[in-house]
Amino acid sequence: MNPVRKLGVVAGCLLLAGVMQSQEKSKGAEDKTSSAPTPVQIVALDECDPTTFNAKIGPDFCKNVALGAQTTFDELFAKAAAGTPDPNWDFEPDVLKIKKGTPIIVTDQGGEPHTFTEVKEFGGGFIHDLNGGEPVAPECEGGFSSLDVAKTRILQGSQLQVTGLSKGEHHFECCIHPWMRVTVEVK
Ligand SMILES: [Cu+2]
């Protein structure tokens, strides 16, 4: 091999080594990204009837595209009072098992606001007529005049992120519709 060709082969090898090294590097970077915990999703659902809800509470309160699945304002209260609250007001899933450090993202895909409030024990919310006789959970007391409740509010179409949960069992409920409940087990 003449010296010039030999140099070419060496340069080629070096180039290849360089490419392999940079591939190795980007693989390493990818691994780092994928080891960061992927957030888990919870959705808040409801089927508020825009006509009756907005007549009672105000324009644009309920922004639900109900397509025939709506519950009227009075029906919602009647069902809750009877102890059979409307199952379409719901967090999904109801039970979540996560590793410590995994963020939770709650998205309100219903038509009206909800809260995702951590409580020590499940109880009623701050609208007494929706509690079916259950005593108010202390964490929900005061409604939105309480900063702690207001901070956990989720408006229609928006998200709330929950991070930093300690290991063990955590209870979350909606302080408006207290039958909307989630248990999170952190391992
Ligand atoms: Cu709610």
Side-chain angles (χ1 to χ4, degrees):
M1 205 183 273
N2 70 47
V4 175
R5 274 190 69 183
K6 202 173 174 185
L7 195 66
V9 171
V10 170
C13 286
L14 283 174
L15 193 68
L16 191 65
V19 168
M20 282 173 75
Q21 203 180 25
S22 71
Q23 274 178 346
E24 201 87 333
K25 256 187 210 162
S26 67
K27 204 179 158 204
E30 264 171 39
D31 285 350
K32 217 174 183 182
T33 315
S34 63
S35 72
T38 309
V40 294
Q41 307 281 339
I42 293 178
V43 293
L45 299 167
D46 68 69
E47 295 300 347
C48 62
D49 163 48
T51 309
T52 54
F53 274 71
N54 294 347
K56 292 267 187 187
I57 305 173
D60 286 336
F61 177 82
C62 169
K63 298 189 182 78
N64 190 25
V65 184
L67 296 176
Q70 67 270 27
T71 298
T72 67
F73 186 87
D74 289 343
E75 278 168 358
L76 184 72
F77 278 78
K79 286 179 183 175
T84 53
D86 194 311
N88 287 337
W89 271 248
D90 190 24
F91 287 124
E92 274 297 318
D94 301 327
V95 178
L96 198 61
K97 291 177 184 179
I98 60 168
K99 268 192 186 166
K100 195 174 185 304
T102 305
I104 300 172
I105 294 176
V106 190
T107 306
D108 186 352
Q109 293 185 1
E112 61 161 321
H114 299 281
T115 83
F116 190 74
T117 310
E118 183 162 13
V119 294
K120 212 166 174 191
E121 281 174 47
F122 289 129
F126 64 84
I127 298 178
H128 293 218
D129 288 344
L130 287 175
N131 289 347
E134 212 175 354
V136 182
E139 295 87 346
C140 291
E141 207 80 65
F144 292 144
S145 63
S146 155
L147 182 64
D148 286 336
V149 179
K151 279 196 297 195
T152 63
R153 175 170 50 197
I154 323 165
L155 300 181
Q156 194 263 352
S158 70
Q159 295 186 326
L160 180 80
Q161 183 163 321
V162 178
T163 52
L165 291 179
S166 60
K167 283 188 182 180
E169 202 172 75
H170 296 263
H171 303 291
F172 292 87
E173 68 175 58
C174 175
C175 284
I176 305 170
H177 319 96
W179 62 95
M180 299 174 69
R181 296 176 176 183
V182 179
T183 299
V184 181
E185 288 171 32
V186 184
K187 292 202 168 159

